[in-house]
């Protein structure tokens, strides 16, 4: 894995932080792998922006983009991300997560598994998606709610991370799934986790940006699509995801904050999809959608 770098801002007012986030997400060079807002002071509504880059970014490109947007770069820092397996290390201290019938745990909590639960063991490796984040848990709950009245025949997990969502779909239904991620390390971890959970024969794991990979196209349309990524990529992928969804299919989206729901929903409304369920967990939201006018 190449050395990644992180750009960090000081605490900013919400509007300034959102403007900076938009500039960094839209900047084509250097292109950020991910941009996130982190609340640092709830009383004063201050937020820190963090952007991850695959290699050391050209700061002049960032400066130019910020100057065009009327922003200054005071207090911004760019530092290497320590080559440390943060997720694996933190997972060792995390309690198992119960999401409906699903029990998601690390290998250190195998003894806590129950015969009455559907157990998923996640070795997070260098990828994210242990089931402990609000958005992952929201997707697992939304998935089970969908399956109460709908039986899909195939599944696509876009931005699979550790593969927990695709694995859950396969365990709950026995259907086949394509799990894709832009990060090759995430795909490797997903493949390992699929073997660990006995779903490898049902899953194909591919490295892909968007939905243009031949393996994804070959198995479309999908009765179930899961995408737990970020709001901006969800909006950009709306046309491709809508095309890949079967006429009677269900789509579960997360990775968005409550204040991003309106713009994400609007992007999919423009593709003739409608929201049929929303799960809110603290400041995070999970949306379930279907084709408008379909049962």
């Amino acid at each position: 894995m190449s050395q990644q770098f992180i750009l960090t801002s000081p605490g900013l007012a919400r509007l300034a932080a959102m403007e900076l986030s938009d500039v960094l997400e839209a900047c084509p060079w250097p292109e950020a792998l991910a941009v996130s807002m982190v609340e640092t002071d709830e009383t004063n509504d201050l937020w820190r922006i963090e952007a991850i880059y695959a290699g050391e970014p050209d700061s002049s490109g960032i400066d130019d983009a910020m100057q065009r947007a009327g922003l200054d770069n005071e207090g911004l820092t760019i530092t290497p991300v320590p080559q440390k397996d943060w997720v694996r290390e933190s997972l060792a201290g995390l309690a198992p997560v119960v999401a409906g019938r699903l029990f998601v745990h690390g290998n250190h909590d195998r003894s806590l598994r129950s015969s009455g639960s559907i157990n998923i063991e996640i070795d997070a490796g260098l990828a994210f998606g242990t089931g402990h984040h609000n958005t992952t848990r929201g997707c697992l709950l939304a998935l089970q709610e969908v399956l109460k009245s709908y039986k899909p025949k195939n599944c696509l997990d876009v931005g699979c991370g550790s593969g927990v969502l695709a694995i859950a779909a396969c365990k709950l239904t026995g259907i086949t799934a394509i799990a894709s991620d832009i990060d090759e390390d995430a795909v490797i971890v997903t493949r390992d986790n699929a073997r660990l959970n006995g779903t490898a024969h049902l899953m194909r794991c591919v490295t892909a940006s968007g939905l243009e990979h031949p393996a994804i196209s070959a198995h479309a349309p999908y009765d179930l699509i899961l995408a737990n990524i970020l709001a901006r990529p969800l909006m950009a992928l709306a046309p491709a995801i809508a095309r890949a969804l079967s006429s009677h299919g269900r789509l579960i989206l997360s990775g968005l904050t409550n204040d991003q729901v309106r713009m994400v929903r609007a992007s999919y409304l423009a593709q003739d999809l409608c929201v049929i369920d929303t799960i809110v967990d603290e400041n995070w939201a999970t949306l379930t959608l279907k084709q408008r006018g379909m049962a």
Side-chain angles (χ1 to χ4, degrees):
M1 187 177 187
S2 60
Q3 174 66 64
Q4 295 183 339
F5 284 75
I6 183 169
L7 177 149
T8 307
S9 78
L12 302 170
R14 181 190 292 263
L15 182 58
M18 293 177 66
E19 290 176 348
L20 176 57
S21 176
D22 287 344
V23 167
L24 294 176
E25 286 184 351
C27 185
W29 187 262
E31 182 180 10
L33 296 176
V35 180
S36 60
M37 288 179 58
V38 180
E39 189 173 27
T40 60
D41 188 332
E42 183 177 1
T43 302
N44 296 305
D45 198 21
L46 296 181
W47 296 75
R48 181 177 73 248
I49 297 300
E50 296 178 349
I52 300 293
Y53 296 89
E56 185 170 9
D58 179 3
S59 59
S60 63
I62 295 173
D63 291 342
D64 290 345
M66 293 181 64
Q67 186 175 6
R68 289 193 297 271
L71 302 174
D72 65 61
N73 62 359
E74 184 177 356
L76 294 186
T77 62
I78 299 174
T79 56
V81 175
Q83 293 291 316
K84 190 173 184 178
D85 192 343
W86 293 106
V87 180
R88 189 188 301 276
E89 184 170 288
S90 64
L91 185 62
L94 290 176
V97 169
V98 178
R101 299 163 57 201
L102 298 170
F103 182 80
V104 183
H105 64 92
N107 60 14
H108 56 288
D109 280 326
R110 288 177 182 171
S111 62
L112 301 179
R113 291 185 295 194
S114 166
S115 59
S117 300
I118 297 176
N119 301 299
I120 300 178
E121 182 175 325
I122 293 298
D123 182 3
L126 291 169
F128 291 89
T130 63
H132 293 81
H133 193 273
N134 308 60
T135 59
T136 312
R137 188 166 54 248
C139 287
L140 294 172
L141 292 172
L143 171 61
Q144 292 169 88
E145 188 63 30
V146 163
L147 296 178
K148 289 179 181 178
S149 58
Y150 177 69
K151 304 302 179 187
K153 295 181 180 178
N154 62 353
C155 171
L156 171 64
D157 182 3
V158 181
C160 58
S162 66
V164 62
L165 298 183
I167 291 168
C170 291
K171 284 208 162 199
L172 287 165
T173 65
I175 62 175
T176 58
I178 301 290
S180 71
D181 202 288
I182 194 171
D183 186 342
E184 186 176 356
D185 288 310
V187 175
I188 293 171
V189 169
T190 293
R191 191 175 292 120
D192 290 342
N193 284 329
R195 286 194 289 264
L196 182 63
N197 287 277
T199 59
H201 64 294
L202 296 173
M203 293 171 56
R204 180 168 181 185
C205 309
V206 298
T207 304
S209 175
L211 279 74
E212 301 303 318
H213 192 284
I216 297 176
S217 302
H219 292 84
Y222 294 91
D223 290 343
L224 175 65
I225 298 180
L226 307 159
N228 182 16
I229 44 181
L230 297 173
R232 296 291 178 182
L234 285 176
M235 294 166 64
L237 289 172
I241 287 177
R243 287 193 301 270
L245 187 67
S246 68
S247 60
H248 54 277
R250 298 293 188 269
L251 168 63
I252 297 174
L253 304 177
S254 199
L256 56 149
T257 57
N258 293 331
D259 56 2
Q260 295 171 327
V261 167
R262 180 177 296 180
M263 62 183 185
V264 172
R265 182 173 56 204
S267 297
Y268 286 84
L269 180 63
Q271 303 302 320
D272 215 27
L273 298 177
C274 63
V275 175
I276 59 174
D277 190 26
T278 302
I279 294 175
V280 175
D281 188 348
E282 296 180 349
N283 192 43
W284 300 95
T286 300
L287 308 179
T288 302
L289 303 95
K290 67 175 184 179
Q291 298 281 2
R292 193 157 41 183
M294 298 300 294

